[in-house]
């Protein structure tokens, strides 16, 4: 157990005992270190954490100060905290499985200590700290058994060295902005979305700031450096969010624990491959999960914004799912106004006759959204949901997409989780859109299949900007947004919607591997897939949406990324570049393959121009290296299947 507790005491003239307190906690692999300090030399006052990273026997201080504390409606828990005790060190060791995500089988271990404080009125506050091999987490706890209070503020804030590179997205309620890179004089003061990515000054490690295990007893927070350029404080929702509905300050009931404050730490590979956000979240109570089925989805909105109003278009996308061996098709908004040869019941009958499972869209409804698109309000209350889910179950609908939440206030967090609980009673999968960034809920509610919360391919419909920014944006998301949970970017489009692509066909194909989402909505029109070469078409039929393992091969945010994902004995590799000027030749070592097994490698890379592919097949093994050429804004995929002897 790698826990050091250092207590130093001395006697002052008044013969009162004063303690200078320091607690140091190391991860099991000794790489991640968190230390607790008092802001002055006595045992009563403000406290803060310091985070360090150990690499090659050299310690790097990555976050010099994390301010701590809370303010409740009845009293303060920040300025005059008296140290009471630190618990005996405890090993956290978990093994669990999820039916989707970066990896099916999850193992994690951490060292934990609970530090107990009291304020001048003797009210108690605990700080629970864990050091994992892939990061540091901490949360607050009020251990008293009863009481209800408004939380006035949370003082958690991260002091980030000015020279540290950072990738952050300007705050917006839908979490659909672009990440911007900055440091020193380029740093902007404003509110920011989760997660935030940072690189240490000496470049030795990376870290990602996020939160996890958010429940009904709190609100979502965001990062803000409006008060201090290099200090990112956790901030409650704006009162104006959700059209002013709901309270911005949460009401808590004791006993209470805050969400985990999560700092993923390590190499870029450590960040990308981490499952820490789900590891610290509450385990599911679901008795069975065999009804939860990841898979690819045909989706008509991108190519025809009102496509679900047209029965014939719905049938065309059902036929696409059949042709591509995809299990699902989504009926997006306005399905209640379907015409042109059939209505909803006719469409569902046709979909089922083809062996495809339907998913259906809903407006979240209520006064929190200005969007009037229908069907609206059918998910708004428990009674509404029970009535609707009862109908959907009889109609053979497998899941729902619910849109336009527009707030992370406590009332909206409660709404999200109420939906998931009610849906589970009907074995109904859920997809949130226009929504919160993942907070680990998929571990607690594994019927939560995916979230939007990203500027995805839908933005090709919104203006010319995304044509230019998408190539770089796509290479940032694997290191930021998609690290913390499923991300339905609605990728892999070859034709154009309202505004054109600048990415190559190889780049688009690679997004099926690069972006992780258990329900992967492939957004192009049917002819966009029917006209592909056989190799690319076969790849999109076969590539999974849930994985046994994930590996970052190489990459850098904003420049390029190459990832490998495993499903059973097969591996799939995807690589993309954002370069506007240079073509690239990449050499990919296959040393992650299993020893003594040969694999049939199908390589589909950029061809002579951005709408062309160059495909080849070869036999490889663990000692092999594959060489591929990428055009500007290009990409490639590789499938690796064991050769049967």
């Amino acid at each position: 157990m790698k826990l050091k507790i250092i207590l130093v005491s001395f006697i002052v003239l008044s013969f009162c005992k004063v303690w200078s307190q320091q607690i140091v906690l190391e991860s099991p692999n000794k790489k991640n270190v968190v230390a607790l300090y008092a802001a002055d030399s006595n045992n009563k006052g403000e406290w803060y954490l310091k985070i360090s990273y150990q690499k090659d026997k050299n310690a790097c201080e990555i976050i010099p100060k994390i301010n701590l504390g809370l303010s409740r409606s009845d009293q303060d828990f920040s300025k005059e905290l008296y140290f009471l005790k630190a618990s005996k060190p405890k090993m956290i060791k978990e093994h669990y499985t999820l039916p989707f995500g970066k990896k099916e089988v999850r193992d994690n271990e951490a060292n934990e200590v609970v530090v107990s404080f009291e304020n001048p009125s003797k009210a108690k506050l605990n700080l629970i700290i864990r050091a994992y091999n892939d990061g540091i987490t901490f949360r607050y706890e009020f251990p008293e058994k009863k009481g209800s209070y408004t939380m006035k503020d949370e003082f958690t804030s991260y002091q980030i060295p000015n020279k540290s590179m950072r990738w952050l997205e300007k705050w917006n309620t839908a979490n659909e902005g672009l990440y911007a890179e900055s440091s020193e004089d380029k740093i902007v003061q404003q509110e920011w979305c989760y997660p935030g990515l940072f690189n240490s000054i000496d470049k030795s490690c990376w870290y990602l700031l996020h939160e996890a295990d958010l429940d009904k007893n709190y609100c979502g927070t965001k990062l803000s450096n409006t008060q201090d350029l290099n200090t990112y404080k956790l901030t409650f929702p704006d009162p104006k969010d959700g059209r002013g509905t709901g309270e911005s300050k949460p009401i808590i009931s004791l006993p209470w624990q805050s969400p985990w404050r999560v700092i993923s730490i390590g190499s870029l590979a450590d960040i990308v491959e981490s499952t820490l956000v789900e590891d610290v979240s509450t385990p599911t109570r679901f008795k069975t999960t065999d009804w939860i089925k990841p898979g690819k989805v045909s989706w008509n909105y991108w190519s025809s914004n009102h496509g679900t109003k047209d029965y014939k278009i719905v049938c065309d996308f059902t036929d696409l799912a059949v042709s591509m061996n995809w299990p699902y098709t989504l009926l997006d908004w306005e399905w209640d106004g379907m015409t042109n040869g059939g209505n909803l019941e006719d469409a569902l009958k046709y979909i089922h006759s083809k062996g495809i499972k339907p998913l259906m869209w809903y407006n979240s409804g209520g006064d929190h959204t200005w969007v009037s698109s229908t069907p609206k309000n059918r998910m708004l209350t428990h009674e509404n949901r029970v009535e609707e889910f009862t109908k959907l179950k009889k109609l053979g609908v497998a899941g729902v997409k619910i849109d336009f939440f527009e707030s992370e206030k406590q009332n909206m967090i409660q709404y999200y989780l109420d939906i998931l609980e009610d849906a589970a009673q009907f074995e109904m999968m859920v997809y949130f859109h226009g929504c919160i960034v993942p907070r680990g809920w998929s571990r607690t509610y594994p019927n939560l299949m995916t979230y939007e919360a990203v500027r995805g391919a839908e933005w090709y419909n919104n203006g010319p900007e995304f044509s230019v920014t998408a190539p770089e944006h796509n290479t940032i998301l694997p290191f930021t947004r998609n690290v913390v949970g499923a991300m339905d970017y609605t990728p892999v489009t070859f034709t154009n919607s309202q505004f054109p692509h600048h990415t190559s066909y190889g780049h688009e194909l690679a997004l099926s591997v690069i972006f992780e989402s258990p329900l992967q909505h492939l957004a192009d029109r049917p002819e966009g897939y029917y006209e592909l070469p056989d190799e690319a078409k076969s790849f999109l039929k076969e590539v999974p949406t849930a994985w046994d393992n994930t590996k970052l091969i190489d990459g850098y945010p904003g420049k390029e990324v190459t990832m490998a994902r495993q499903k059973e004995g097969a591996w799939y590799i995807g690589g993309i570049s954002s370069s506007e000027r240079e073509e690239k030749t990449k050499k990919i070592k296959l040393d992650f393959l299993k020893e003594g097994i040969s694999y049939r490698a199908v390589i589909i890379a950029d061809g002579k121009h951005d709408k062309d592919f160059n495909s080849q097949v070869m036999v490889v093994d663990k000692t092999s290296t594959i060489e591929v050429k990428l055009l500007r804004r290009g990409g490639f995929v590789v499938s690796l299947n064991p050769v049967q002897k």
Side-chain angles (χ1 to χ4, degrees), residues 551 553 571 588-595 621-625:
K551 288 186 176 294
I553 294 177
W571 283 88
I588 303 160
K589 293 181 179 180
L590 303 179
D591 52 4
F592 53 85
L593 295 178
K594 196 170 182 179
E595 186 78 44
D621 61 23
K622 185 180 179 68
T623 66
S624 302
T625 298

Side-chain angles (χ1 to χ4, degrees), residues 325-341:
N325 297 332
W326 301 343
Y328 301 105
T329 191
L330 174 68
L331 305 183
D332 215 287
W333 64 350
E334 303 171 326
W335 51 256
D336 53 337
M338 194 183 304
T339 57
N340 195 25

Side-chain angles (χ1 to χ4, degrees), residues 24-35 49-53 62-63 66 110-111 128-139 158 207-211 260-266 271 274 276-277 280:
V24 179
L25 185 67
E26 293 179 340
S27 59
N29 65 6
K30 302 183 182 180
K31 288 187 176 181
N32 299 319
V33 183
V34 55
L49 299 173
K50 182 184 292 187
I51 309 294
S52 300
Y53 179 72
I62 59 173
I63 306 180
I66 303 174
N111 292 325
I128 305 170
I129 308 171
R130 290 183 183 177
Y132 286 85
N133 289 338
D134 55 348
I136 301 294
T137 68
F138 64 95
R139 75 190 322 174
Y158 303 91
Y207 52 103
L208 192 80
L209 301 183
H210 196 45
E211 68 179 4
W260 285 104
R261 306 305 168 206
V262 177
I263 310 161
S264 301
I265 303 172
I271 299 293
S274 173
L276 187 56
V277 170
V280 298

Side-chain angles (χ1 to χ4, degrees), residues 289-553:
T289 59
D290 55 355
W291 52 276
I292 298 168
K293 304 289 188 183
K296 294 183 282 289
V297 189
S298 66
W299 183 53
N300 64 46
Y301 173 86
W302 185 82
S303 56
S304 179
N305 293 169
H306 301 281
T308 306
K309 292 182 75 172
D310 190 315
Y311 171 76
K312 291 181 179 178
I313 290 177
V314 172
C315 292
D316 288 343
F317 277 82
T318 301
D319 294 342
L320 170 63
V322 173
S323 175
M324 297 297 291
N325 297 332
W326 301 343
Y328 301 105
T329 191
L330 174 68
L331 305 183
D332 215 287
W333 64 350
E334 303 171 326
W335 51 256
D336 53 337
M338 194 183 304
T339 57
N340 195 25
N343 58 21
L344 173 65
E345 288 72 21
D346 298 320
L348 291 174
K349 183 177 179 180
Y350 184 83
I351 292 166
H352 285 303
S353 75
K354 297 294 184 175
I356 303 300
K357 297 176 182 178
L359 308 171
M360 291 174 60
W361 180 95
Y362 287 84
N363 187 328
S364 65
D367 293 336
H368 62 267
T369 177
W370 56 268
V371 181
S372 59
S373 302
T374 60
K376 186 174 181 178
N377 294 333
R378 300 193 192 186
M379 292 290 160
L380 195 58
T381 68
H382 171 69
E383 291 73 22
N384 292 154
R385 292 189 293 274
V386 168
E387 180 181 357
E388 199 68 16
F389 287 143
T390 300
K391 292 178 183 177
L392 294 179
K393 194 70 175 177
K394 291 179 180 178
L395 291 170
V397 175
V400 292
K401 171 183 176 180
I402 305 177
D403 206 346
F404 304 122
F405 290 89
E406 303 182 27
S407 165
E408 296 185 10
K409 295 175 183 176
Q410 185 178 24
N411 70 312
M412 197 59 59
I413 302 306
Q414 293 168 345
Y415 183 30
Y416 278 116
L417 299 181
D418 286 343
I419 289 172
L420 292 172
E421 290 168 1
D422 287 343
Q425 297 303 310
F426 292 85
E427 296 190 345
M428 196 73 58
M429 296 185 294
V430 177
Y431 163 24
F432 289 137
H433 201 263
C435 63
I436 194 169
V437 168
R439 299 303 209 277
W441 292 345
S442 289
R443 184 177 182 192
T444 315
Y445 304 98
N447 60 326
L448 174 52
M449 303 300 290
T450 193
Y451 312 66
E452 185 191 28
V454 64
R455 180 168 294 203
E458 183 178 295
W459 279 76
Y460 285 114
N461 291 329
N462 296 344
E465 163 266 314
F466 200 58
S467 297
V468 177
T469 57
E472 179 178 327
H473 180 59
N474 293 348
T475 65
I476 295 175
L477 294 174
F479 303 104
T480 52
R481 163 64 182 85
N482 211 183
V483 170
V484 301
M487 178 185 79
D488 197 45
Y489 177 104
T490 59
V492 192
T493 53
F494 303 100
T495 66
N496 289 323
S497 187
Q498 278 91 323
F499 297 92
H501 295 75
H502 287 179
T503 51
S504 76
Y505 274 22
H507 185 118
E508 288 296 315
L509 187 62
L511 298 183
S512 65
V513 178
I514 297 291
F515 295 156
E516 182 268 313
S517 179
L519 287 179
Q520 187 74 280
H521 291 71
L522 300 176
D524 209 346
R525 49 182 54 83
E527 55 266 33
Y529 300 114
Y530 292 151
E531 295 170 4
L532 290 173
D534 288 344
E535 294 86 354
K537 197 182 302 182
S538 295
F539 187 88
L540 286 176
K541 290 179 180 180
E542 298 167 5
V543 64
T545 64
W547 305 98
D548 295 336
N549 201 3
T550 293
K551 288 186 176 294
L552 176 68
I553 294 177

Side-chain angles (χ1 to χ4, degrees), residues 37-194:
Y37 292 90
D40 54 36
S41 60
N42 61 50
N43 64 340
K44 184 179 181 181
E46 298 179 3
W47 295 78
Y48 66 93
L49 299 173
K50 182 184 292 187
I51 309 294
S52 300
Y53 179 72
Q54 190 84 14
K55 183 178 181 181
D56 301 327
K57 298 183 179 180
N58 294 315
C60 169
E61 181 181 275
I62 59 173
I63 306 180
K65 191 175 186 181
I66 303 174
N67 295 308
L68 302 170
L70 302 163
S71 176
R72 253 173 26 192
S73 53
D74 61 326
Q75 54 193 307
D76 179 80
F77 293 84
S78 65
K79 298 186 182 304
E80 296 183 85
L81 289 178
Y82 180 83
F83 175 85
L84 295 177
K85 63 181 180 178
S87 69
K88 291 183 179 180
K90 175 183 177 183
M91 169 67 81
I92 304 295
K93 197 167 186 177
E94 287 191 312
H95 174 89
Y96 68 98
T97 60
L98 281 180
F100 48 72
K102 299 177 191 179
K103 56 182 70 174
E104 179 182 12
V105 178
R106 311 289 181 87
D107 291 287
N108 65 77
E109 59 181 22
N111 292 325
E112 178 188 276
V113 64
V114 180
V115 185
S116 299
F117 301 96
E118 67 178 15
N119 69 5
S121 65
K122 305 297 183 181
K124 304 297 189 291
L125 172 70
N126 293 337
L127 180 68
I128 305 170
I129 308 171
R130 290 183 183 177
Y132 286 85
N133 289 338
D134 55 348
I136 301 294
T137 68
F138 64 95
R139 75 190 322 174
Y140 303 101
E141 178 181 61
F142 289 129
E144 283 91 348
K145 301 302 181 184
K146 60 182 180 180
S148 181
Y149 307 95
T150 298
M151 191 68 76
K152 293 170 63 178
D153 202 356
E154 178 173 338
F155 300 114
T156 306
S157 62
Y158 303 91
Q159 186 182 99
I160 308 296
N162 184 264
K163 293 182 179 180
S164 295
M165 294 299 300
R166 60 207 69 194
W167 286 259
L168 293 163
E169 175 189 341
K170 182 180 179 181
W171 166 252
N172 63 98
T173 55
N175 295 281
E176 292 184 39
L178 294 170
Y179 275 82
E181 176 185 342
S182 65
S183 68
E184 299 185 88
D185 61 341
K186 304 295 184 183
I187 299 171
V188 176
Q189 289 184 268
Q190 60 187 23
E191 294 180 336
W192 305 95
C193 297
Y194 284 121

